[in-house]
């Protein structure tokens, strides 16, 4: 029982740290022309900024595809670069700004082949 509560405290600290990072990013890079991921419209041009949580190589239809999860504290979106196995600087924990259109694939919000800028 004590181990379970220790685990809950650890997970809670990790979640709080992630939320704090997202708040710090919004404060540091505050920009009225940015969309928040959780509120961004689908099938319209958007500009999103967040932190990459995961980066995975996942082939789609026999074509290599680099897939990443972008998080900004309000939500997540999957970013997919088709035909790419690796992109320099695209690693978990990296802050990134993307421009593209959000669509849906298998019920998940995705942006294919966005323009991107690595943030410091």
């Amino acid at each position: 029982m004590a181990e379970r509560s220790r685990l809950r405290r650890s997970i809670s600290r990790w979640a709080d740290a992630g939320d704090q990072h997202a708040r710090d990013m919004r404060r540091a890079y505050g920009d009225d022309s940015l969309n928040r991921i959780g509120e961004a419209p689908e099938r319209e041009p958007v500009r999103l900024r967040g932190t990459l949580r995961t980066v995975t190589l996942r082939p789609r239809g026999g074509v290599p595809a680099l897939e990443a999860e972008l998080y900004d504290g309000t939500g997540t979106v999957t970013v997919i670069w088709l035909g790419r196995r690796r992109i320099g600087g695209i690693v978990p924990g990296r802050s990134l700004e993307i421009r593209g259109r959000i669509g849906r694939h298998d019920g998940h919000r995705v942006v294919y082949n966005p323009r991107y800028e690595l943030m410091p």
Side-chain angles (χ1 to χ4, degrees), residues 9-116:
R9 283 194 306 268
S10 294
I11 291 171
S12 178
R13 270 186 265 138
W14 292 336
D16 291 345
D19 290 343
Q20 181 62 44
H21 179 71
R23 283 192 297 273
D24 291 345
M25 279 189 53
R26 283 195 301 272
R27 197 174 306 120
Y29 300 118
D31 188 339
D32 292 337
S33 64
L34 287 172
N35 299 96
R36 293 177 186 246
I37 293 173
E39 302 163 0
E42 293 182 9
R43 299 187 326 195
E44 293 181 22
V46 294
R47 187 171 155 220
L48 308 170
R49 195 175 284 160
T51 302
L52 295 176
R53 283 185 161 176
T54 61
V55 178
T56 311
L57 177 62
R58 188 167 292 153
R60 291 180 174 264
V63 175
L66 188 64
E67 195 171 292
E69 182 181 77
L70 186 68
Y71 171 75
D72 76 347
T74 66
T76 61
V77 66
T78 301
V79 183
I80 301 170
W81 288 276
L82 295 171
R84 303 295 298 263
R85 294 182 190 281
R86 195 171 61 92
I87 299 174
I90 302 295
V91 295
R94 185 66 189 249
S95 297
L96 186 72
E97 179 179 310
I98 66 166
R99 293 173 190 232
R101 292 178 190 263
I102 298 175
R104 287 232 176 235
H105 182 69
D106 293 336
H108 298 285
R109 291 165 49 101
V110 298
V111 178
Y112 287 98
N113 298 322
R115 292 181 178 261
Y116 67 94

